[in-house]
Each structure stands twice: as structure tokens, then as C-alpha cells.
């Protein structure tokens, strides 16, 4: 019987210089694709302690890590506020909010290229005196190479030009909390992002959804390849959790899930 590897044990040892976290990256999909992008390295399957980001962060980084700079494209890990009991500033030397300054309004997310650029600047700023964690959004939705089709606006909003509604969406996003913004934008068709979301992709069927997920993962891996090719440091690629893609008629990564689909993630050590 193969022994299950706990991701927490790997994280605690900190046997890496740069830890690259792919949000919602499943082990099985990473295994199918990684050899197309990385020439050398060792891949292991590890078990994440959680099925969503906030829960993962609390369990993975419960201590104080003054030797780590955390660059986050995911607003659930940020320097500004506590999210579900995790206040990142208390746990790391520095938290850099890429989700704040690097957000691409058209895509509705942070492109992995932007994370790479921020990481390179941080490495120069600290002159390699710290370890770095870079948290990428992909393969998590939205699916940035799959544009939305159709117009789901309703009521009065449906009478307004889509370009005008998108402009309103850009404005209110800066003033509303994410939950309220999502409610308003979904109700009145104010979403300005051109990228497809999970709720729309799953309506087209699981095969289509999986294709979208793979495209997002390939975009991230292509950018990570560039980073690995430019560095001689020890780099590890992993994920915070996985993702349901229609298995058992489930989607996304609800908190408290135990299924391998949301708990089994890659641990890839690059041999540079």
C-alpha cells in the first residue's frame, strides 16, 4: 500500500526557495500535462489539509514565518483584512497584494504573467534574502481564454447597451464588497469581465468545463516554465486545493470536503 503524503509535512520542512501555488490545481490534471512544460523534476501526489483557500492557509501557516514573503493574486490571502480567521500579515514577513495592483479588469482576474513579474521584482528587492511564495489564481476560474457568449442581463439593465453596463460594473466593483458586487452584477448583467465563469461553463456540460479548466492550467504552466528557465533556485510547484469538475454532480471546492478531487494536489520539485 502506497503511503499517503501529507502536504503539511512538506510545507513545514521548507525545502524550497520559491513555492509556486496554483489555485484549485488537481493532481490528476497536473500529472497529465506537466511533462509538456517541464524538462526535469520530481512529481509527488500530496494531500492538502483543506478544500478551500482560507481553510488551507490557516492550517498550512499557523505559525510565524519571518523568512517568507507571500505574493498573493488571491484576495483571500492579503495584507489588508482578516479572511475567515486568517490574517496573513501576522504570519509572514511581508504580504504583497497582487490581486489589488495587478487585477486585469477585462479578464476579471490576475494573469499569471503578472504574478511572475511581481515575484521577480520582490526577489530583486530582498536580494534573495527571503523565501518566496507566489500564489497564482489559475487554473481556478474565470477561464481567461474562453470568452462569455450571450447576454443574460434582465429587467431595466437589458435595455442599456452592454458597453455601458460594463462601465457601471467597473465602477461599482471598487465600492462594493465582493459578495454584494457579485449579487448586483449577476442580477443586472453588469459584469465587465470577458472571461467565462464556472457557473456558465458547467451549463454547457462537464466536457466543456474540463476543457476550460485545462486551458487555464496550460496558461499557468506556460508562465511557470519561463520562471523555472530563468532561475537556478530550488522551485516547488503545488496547490492549495483541488476542484470538482462535475464528479458526483459537484462543482468548485466547497469548504470541508474530503474527496480526492479537492484534496489531492501536486508537489513538483524542479531540477534546475
Amino acid at each position: 500500500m502506497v503511503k499517503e503524503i501529507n502536504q503539511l509535512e512538506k510545507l513545514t520542512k521548507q525545502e524550497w526557495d520559491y513555492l509556486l501555488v496554483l489555485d484549485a490545481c488537481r493532481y490528476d490534471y497536473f500529472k497529465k500535462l506537466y511533462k509538456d512544460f517541464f524538462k526535469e523534476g520530481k512529481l509527488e501526489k500530496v494531500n492538502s489539509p483543506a478544500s478551500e483557500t482560507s481553510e488551507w492557509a490557516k492550517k498550512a501557516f499557523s505559525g510565524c514565518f519571518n523568512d517568507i514573503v507571500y505574493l498573493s493574486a488571491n484576495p483571500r490571502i492579503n495584507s489588508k483584512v482578516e479572511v475567515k480567521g486568517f490574517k496573513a500579515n501576522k504570519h509572514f514577513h511581508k504580504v504583497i497584494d497582487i490581486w489589488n495592483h495587478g487585477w486585469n479588469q477585462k479578464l476579471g482576474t490576475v494573469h499569471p504573467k503578472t504574478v511572475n513579474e511581481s515575484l521577480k521584482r520582490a526577489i530583486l528587492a530582498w536580494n534573495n534574502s527571503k523565501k518566496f511564495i507566489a500564489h497564482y489564481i489559475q487554473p481556478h476560474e474565470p477561464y481567461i481564454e474562453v470568452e462569455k457568449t450571450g447576454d443574460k442581463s434582465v429587467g431595466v439593465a437589458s435595455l442599456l447597451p452592454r458597453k455601458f453596463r460594463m462601465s457601471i460594473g467597473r465602477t461599482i466593483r471598487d465600492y462594493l464588497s465582493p459578495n454584494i458586487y457579485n449579487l448586483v452584477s449577476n442580477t443586472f448583467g453588469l459584469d465587465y469581465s470577458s472571461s467565462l465563469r464556472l457557473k456558465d461553463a458547467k451549463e454547457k456540460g462537464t466536457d466543456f468545463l474540463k476543457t476550460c479548466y485545462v486551458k487555464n492550467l496550460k496558461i499557468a504552466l506556460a508562465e511557470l516554465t519561463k520562471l523555472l528557465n530563468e532561475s537556478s533556485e530550488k522551485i516547488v510547484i503545488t496547490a492549495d486545493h483541488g476542484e470538482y469538475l462535475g464528479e458526483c454532480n459537484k462543482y468548485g471546492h466547497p469548504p470541508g470536503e474530503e474527496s480526492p478531487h479537492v484534496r489531492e494536489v501536486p508537489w513538483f520539485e524542479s531540477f534546475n
Side-chain angles (χ1 to χ4, degrees):
M1 183 176 180
V2 179
K3 179 184 177 182
E4 293 186 349
I5 302 175
N6 189 330
Q7 187 192 39
L8 287 179
E9 296 177 4
K10 296 276 192 179
L11 291 170
T12 301
K13 291 179 180 179
Q14 292 191 37
E15 294 178 343
W16 40 267
D17 298 304
Y18 312 150
L19 182 72
L20 312 180
V21 180
L22 295 174
D23 205 294
C25 182
R26 288 169 49 151
Y27 169 80
D28 52 353
Y29 278 81
F30 186 94
K31 183 180 180 181
K32 291 177 183 178
L33 297 174
Y34 82 100
K35 288 184 179 180
D36 295 335
F37 295 89
F38 309 124
K39 295 179 181 179
E40 295 183 275
K42 177 185 177 183
L43 175 64
E44 294 180 283
K45 177 171 62 179
V46 298
N47 293 316
S48 170
S51 59
E52 64 92 27
T53 302
S54 299
E55 183 184 5
W56 173 77
K58 284 193 293 184
K59 293 181 178 180
F61 303 106
S62 59
C64 186
F65 302 90
N66 287 322
D67 60 334
I68 294 177
V69 174
Y70 201 114
L71 298 95
S72 179
N74 187 329
R76 288 183 175 274
I77 298 178
N78 70 85
S79 71
K80 301 179 183 301
V81 297
E82 181 177 308
V83 180
K84 292 188 176 181
F86 186 77
K87 193 168 186 179
N89 271 355
K90 291 184 176 181
H91 299 275
F92 304 106
H93 173 74
K94 177 77 173 179
V95 178
I96 299 177
D97 298 313
I98 307 177
W99 61 271
N100 191 25
H101 68 258
W103 190 265
N104 185 310
Q105 291 190 341
K106 181 180 179 181
L107 299 178
T109 189
V110 179
H111 195 283
K113 180 179 179 181
T114 303
V115 180
N116 277 6
E117 293 169 349
S118 295
L119 176 58
K120 291 175 184 178
R121 289 194 295 269
I123 291 169
L124 288 174
W126 274 275
N127 195 26
N128 272 332
S129 62
K130 301 292 182 182
K131 292 178 178 288
F132 297 91
I133 299 177
H135 193 138
Y136 299 73
I137 287 293
Q138 293 72 33
H140 193 288
E141 64 164 326
Y143 307 110
I144 60 180
E145 279 199 350
V146 185
E147 291 194 354
K148 293 186 293 188
T149 58
D151 190 340
K152 296 188 176 183
S153 59
V154 297
V156 176
S158 65
L159 303 177
L160 302 174
R162 184 171 185 274
K163 186 175 182 181
F164 180 67
R165 295 198 308 274
M166 291 174 70
S167 176
I168 297 174
R170 283 192 291 270
T171 301
I172 67 171
R173 179 184 173 274
D174 294 333
Y175 296 97
L176 300 181
S177 69
N179 288 340
I180 297 176
Y181 169 74
N182 288 335
L183 175 62
V184 173
S185 63
N186 289 339
T187 302
F188 294 102
L190 301 177
D191 188 8
Y192 57 83
S193 169
S194 64
S195 302
L196 194 71
R197 303 296 305 217
L198 171 62
K199 62 183 178 62
D200 297 312
K202 71 181 184 182
E203 290 179 1
K204 298 177 180 291
T206 55
D207 288 343
F208 179 78
L209 172 59
K210 290 175 181 178
T211 298
C212 296
Y213 181 85
V214 167
K215 285 184 178 180
N216 246 23
L217 180 52
K218 285 182 176 180
I219 292 169
L221 294 180
E223 291 299 328
L224 265 56
T225 298
K226 298 174 186 178
L227 194 63
L228 267 60
N229 289 340
E230 296 172 3
S231 175
S232 60
E233 304 298 322
K234 182 166 183 181
I235 297 176
V236 167
I237 301 171
T238 191
D240 48 356
H241 52 76
E243 178 96 331
Y244 283 119
L245 296 172
E247 296 86 4
C248 304
N249 200 30
K250 292 184 177 182
Y251 299 89
H253 44 273
E257 293 285 328
E258 301 285 346
S259 168
H261 300 110
V262 292
R263 288 298 189 96
E264 291 182 352
V265 297
W267 185 273
F268 177 76
E269 298 180 6
S270 173
F271 299 154
N272 294 335

